[in-house]
Amino acid sequence: QKAVMQIVLCVEDGCTVDANTERASYVWDYLIERFQSTSMLGKTLLKQDLSNTRYEDTVPMTDHLADLRSKRARCANANIQVPDDEFAMIIVQSLPRSWDNVAGAIPEGATANDVCNRLLLKEKRRNAVGNARAGRSDRALLTLSRSSSRSNLRSLTRPASPTDEAD
């Protein structure tokens, strides 16, 4: 009865569930039957959502891959099979043009796990290179700042030339 009450409390308002049922499995089966996407349109929308997911460089790759896996799991819950080789292609297809060199290096027949590992490794390398470049540009700005300060200091301390006095 306690499990039934937990389920009833988690159901959105407006959905009627019989709280007097003795077994939680009956309530759960009812909810699955009523809300699980089993229509052709529902299944089509789930598959489109998975296939149309796109990666944005501002989002960590781990988040993007987790999103794709979650959408694949939703498809599986609706009895839509997404084989591993198809899922691997969907992952590659989700990448922007800036990742074409990575996508081109993935061998034919690679599993979805292989693709995920390559993408995570590439993101790690990109981040390392980006951090190294940021460090170099910070040093370059510091060096430029120091050299311009020295030239300003020299111009303040050098004696005036005869042409400066003529003006």
Side-chain angles (χ1 to χ4, degrees):
Q1 189 66 10
K2 188 175 179 180
V4 171
M5 292 311 295
Q6 279 297 120
I7 294 171
V8 170
L9 289 173
C10 292
V11 173
E12 290 184 21
D13 294 338
C15 176
T16 56
V17 175
D18 183 11
N20 294 324
T21 304
E22 291 181 20
R23 296 191 60 194
S25 62
Y26 294 142
V27 176
W28 192 251
D29 291 342
Y30 167 76
L31 290 172
I32 288 173
E33 182 181 315
R34 181 143 192 270
F35 293 105
Q36 187 174 18
S37 184
T38 56
S39 69
M40 181 60 78
L41 177 60
K43 288 181 176 186
T44 302
L45 292 175
L46 283 172
K47 186 78 181 257
Q48 279 180 341
D49 188 35
L50 173 63
S51 297
N52 292 333
T53 301
R54 297 291 174 257
Y55 174 68
E56 297 175 22
D57 284 321
T58 58
V59 175
M61 182 59 73
T62 52
D63 292 353
H64 174 65
L65 295 174
D67 183 39
L68 286 171
R69 287 181 176 128
S70 171
K71 290 177 180 182
R72 182 184 188 194
R74 276 188 255 148
C75 286
N77 289 338
N79 294 323
I80 303 168
Q81 299 306 312
V82 182
D84 192 67
D85 59 334
E86 182 181 349
F87 187 56
M89 286 190 290
I90 289 171
I91 295 169
V92 172
Q93 169 190 323
S94 73
L95 300 172
R97 294 246 182 247
S98 61
W99 287 73
D100 280 354
N101 61 338
V102 178
I106 296 172
E108 187 175 339
T111 66
N113 249 0
D114 294 340
V115 173
C116 291
N117 289 337
R118 283 179 180 258
L119 296 180
L120 292 170
L121 182 62
K122 181 62 175 181
E123 180 187 48
K124 188 176 180 180
R125 287 181 185 156
R126 280 186 175 194
N127 289 342
V129 168
N131 291 340
R133 284 185 182 151
R136 282 195 300 267
S137 66
D138 290 346
R139 285 192 298 271
L141 288 175
L142 181 61
T143 304
L144 176 63
S145 175
R146 284 182 182 166
S147 63
S148 24
S149 296
R150 286 183 188 141
S151 64
N152 289 340
L153 183 61
R154 282 188 201 123
S155 66
L156 292 173
T157 56
R158 71 183 172 124
S161 65
T163 55
D164 289 341
E165 292 174 7
D167 294 333

